[in-house]
Amino acid sequence: MLTASCAKTLPAKPEVMDTACDWVSIIYLTEHDIAVLDKQTKRDILAHNRSVQHNCPNTIIPASQ
């Protein structure tokens, strides 16, 4: 016995939504932060900020910073 189907609906096509940059942002420092933080912490923040700019080019950076 054969069973046939007339259904024409195919499985839904998966949509990929990139949300990787939704939770990261640039770290801003004040003059006080710069004065009191040690060199390694400043380097780590700089590396983070460069990584965000490189990997998330659409991240909005306020002009005032």
Side-chain angles (χ1 to χ4, degrees):
M1 178 173 175
L2 291 174
T3 304
S5 172
C6 295
K8 296 287 183 185
T9 58
L10 299 174
K13 194 173 189 181
E15 290 188 34
V16 177
M17 185 177 291
D18 184 8
T19 59
C21 293
D22 289 352
W23 61 274
V24 298
S25 62
I26 300 290
I27 298 172
Y28 296 100
L29 300 176
T30 64
E31 291 294 326
H32 180 264
D33 295 333
I34 294 169
V36 299
L37 292 174
D38 67 343
K39 278 188 177 185
Q40 187 59 50
T41 303
K42 291 180 209 177
R43 286 185 185 127
D44 292 343
I45 292 171
L46 179 60
H48 166 83
N49 288 348
R50 286 181 175 168
S51 176
V52 171
Q53 287 178 327
H54 177 76
N55 294 305
C56 304
N58 296 330
T59 301
I60 299 172
I61 301 172
S64 63
Q65 297 294 326

